[in-house]
Structures are given as structure tokens and as C-alpha cells.
Amino acid sequence: MADMKQDVFPVVHWFPGHMAKATRMIKEYVKKVDVVIELLDARIPRSSANPVISEVVGEKPHIIVLNKADLADPKETKAWTEYFTTQGMTVLAIDSKSGKGNKQLVKAVERLSQPIIDKWLKKGIRSRSVRTIILGIPNVGKSTLINKLAGAAATRTADKPGHTRGQQWVKIGKNLELLDTPGVLWPKLEDQRAAARLAMTGAISDDVYDLESVMKQLLRQVKENNPNLLVERYKLKPEELDDMEQLLESIGRRRGCLVSGGVVDLDKARRIVLADYRNQKLGNLTLDGVDEEPVIIEDTIEYDEK
């Protein structure tokens, strides 16, 4: 994957108070569970990994779940699975909407919790359910996964990031309980390329980041991954891909994003491309590469956690 540092600058300035509160709550909830499930977006496994979660998990049995694998590049998902495996992690790729991989997830929880169950049996404890928590950033699919596992709309889901309300234990089968939690971002997004990718996938609210910068990065990655797709999707001429500054304007003209005087409404064009990516009309594109280095911006904003 090509270096895109020239397009990266601070784009995200957001850390709502409820996120800081949720972080403190999660630290308390983790103490009450036996197994932790960390849900990552398979399109951005590194960018969607909240370092706060790694800190609070500690020595608890821990499963990495690459959700939305149906939206990601299968080869990249395999590479990320191998990467986490070499780190000694239990890792699964799933699609929470369709339920693909859910049975394997339950089996993995049961396997990791077996030593705990054995200790209970030695103490004469036979009735306690294994408790697990699903942690992850906003909009990564936690509530959808619980709904599928429970077989009913057990938790409220929302299209807007960070809008799962309340926490509740959900019974899964006879011996497993799941606790849903709010999605949690972290207070300092030092890697602004990761921040941009969080924005692309909808983990960050669309009204709090610089759309122009984000879309430059997205178009560059789509072009590098599959230039023919851009040509076909937006009826472009191949040579129109050569100038990244003019590419968005060309897309806007093809899509009729014109205002008085024949001027292209670039903001409207950006939102069309963003929606196309999120709706999988720009292919199965994984944004994070296993071998990428973070892009650190020195003047990254630190967010108010009060």
C-alpha cells in the first residue's frame, strides 16, 4: 500500500463527554466478566483497535473478532488473522449481520472459559453462567452481533455512532451471558490516518471531521486498489484518474453535482463517493495494511474528557 503521508493532516476534533464516561464504566464492567470479546472492523483492524480496551482487558481471556468481513478484502482479512494469531491472540472473522461465524465465536468463548469453569467445579459451583463482554468502537456492530446471537432484538441498534443506550446482560443458550456496552473512542487520536479511516467507515460522526481531507485519502486508496472500478462506477476516462485534484470534480460532473454556472458542488460529490464506499459500491476495500506504520501529527487535538 502506497505512502499517503502527503494527504494526512489533523481531520478529527471530537471526544464527547459520554465517551469518557463510557471508558470509566467499561473498566468497571471488565472486572465482572470472564471472557472479553473485542470487536474490530475488518476493513480497519488497526484503526478500530481502541488502546484503552487493551489496557483494561489485562490478563482476561481475550478474543479478537474481525466483524464486517463481508465488506473487507478477503486476502487482507486473512493477513490480519495471521497477524493476530502470531501475537498469541484468538481471532475470528465474522459478519454479524448475516450471522456467519457466530457459532464459531460461541465455541471460542466456551473453549477459553473452560479453565474458569473447571475451577468453579472444584469449588462446587455449578450454576453460574460464563459472562462475557463485547467491546469496540462506535458503529462496529456490537448490538447487531448480540441480536443475532440471542435470536431477537435484545439490544437497541442505531445507524449513528455511539447510540447504543444502556447496558444489559443478554442470555445466550444455557451457560453464556453477554453484556452490551457503548462504543468507545479514545481521547487522543495521534494517528490521523487512522482517524480519517474511522471517519470513512462511519465510526466518527460525519459532522465533526474535515470531509475534504478524508475523501482525498479514500479516493487515493480506491484508485490504488482498483482504478478500473472508479472508471466504471463514475463513467470516467482512464486519464481522468491521473490528476487527483481534478478527480473529484470529474466524478461530480458525471453525477450531475452542478450548481449555477456549471460549477461542481464538490461537497455533494464527496458525500456521494463516501456513501458509495460505505454501501460497498467501491469494492471490498480494506483500508488498513498489516505492514503500515502510523502517521503521527504533532499538533493532534486532545479532547475534553469531562
Side-chain angles (χ1 to χ4, degrees), residues 41-191:
D41 188 322
R43 298 168 294 177
I44 50 170
R46 179 177 290 113
S47 299
S48 60
N50 187 341
V52 171
I53 292 176
S54 298
E55 292 173 10
V56 301
V57 167
E59 298 301 316
K60 297 269 185 180
H62 184 187
I63 302 173
I64 295 289
V65 176
L66 301 176
N67 192 28
K68 304 187 181 183
D70 59 312
L71 304 180
D73 183 333
K75 292 182 180 179
E76 292 293 329
T77 298
K78 181 180 179 181
W80 276 107
T81 299
E82 292 173 352
Y83 167 79
F84 285 116
T85 300
T86 60
Q87 301 298 308
M89 302 295 300
T90 298
V91 57
L92 295 169
I94 72 168
D95 170 20
S96 62
K97 278 192 174 182
S98 70
K100 184 178 180 180
N102 288 359
K103 290 183 179 179
Q104 291 88 332
L105 175 58
V106 172
K107 289 180 180 178
V109 172
E110 292 173 344
R111 177 172 57 81
L112 289 181
S113 64
Q114 192 58 51
I116 299 169
I117 295 173
D118 292 341
K119 288 182 180 180
W120 293 344
L121 292 175
K122 288 181 180 179
K123 295 180 180 180
I125 302 172
R126 298 180 180 274
S127 59
R128 185 184 179 299
S129 296
V130 172
R131 289 180 171 177
T132 184
I133 191 170
I134 296 181
L135 300 177
I137 65 169
N139 206 36
V140 78
K142 298 182 301 299
S143 296
T144 300
L145 175 58
I146 292 179
N147 292 345
K148 279 290 184 180
L149 290 173
T155 61
R156 176 184 181 275
T157 59
D159 293 331
K160 293 184 178 181
H163 280 250
T164 299
R165 294 179 180 176
Q167 296 80 44
Q168 57 184 316
W169 291 101
V170 179
K171 191 78 172 179
I172 307 297
K174 294 182 179 180
N175 301 310
L176 179 63
E177 292 181 348
L178 290 173
L179 178 63
D180 190 31
T181 61
V184 180
L185 286 172
W186 47 104
K188 188 177 182 181
L189 288 167
E190 292 179 316
D191 184 349

Side-chain angles (χ1 to χ4, degrees), residues 196-214:
R197 292 171 182 176
L198 289 167
M200 292 173 200
T201 55
I204 294 174
S205 180
D206 286 338
D207 58 0
V208 297
Y209 60 82
D210 183 78
L211 182 61
E212 180 180 358
S213 173
V214 168

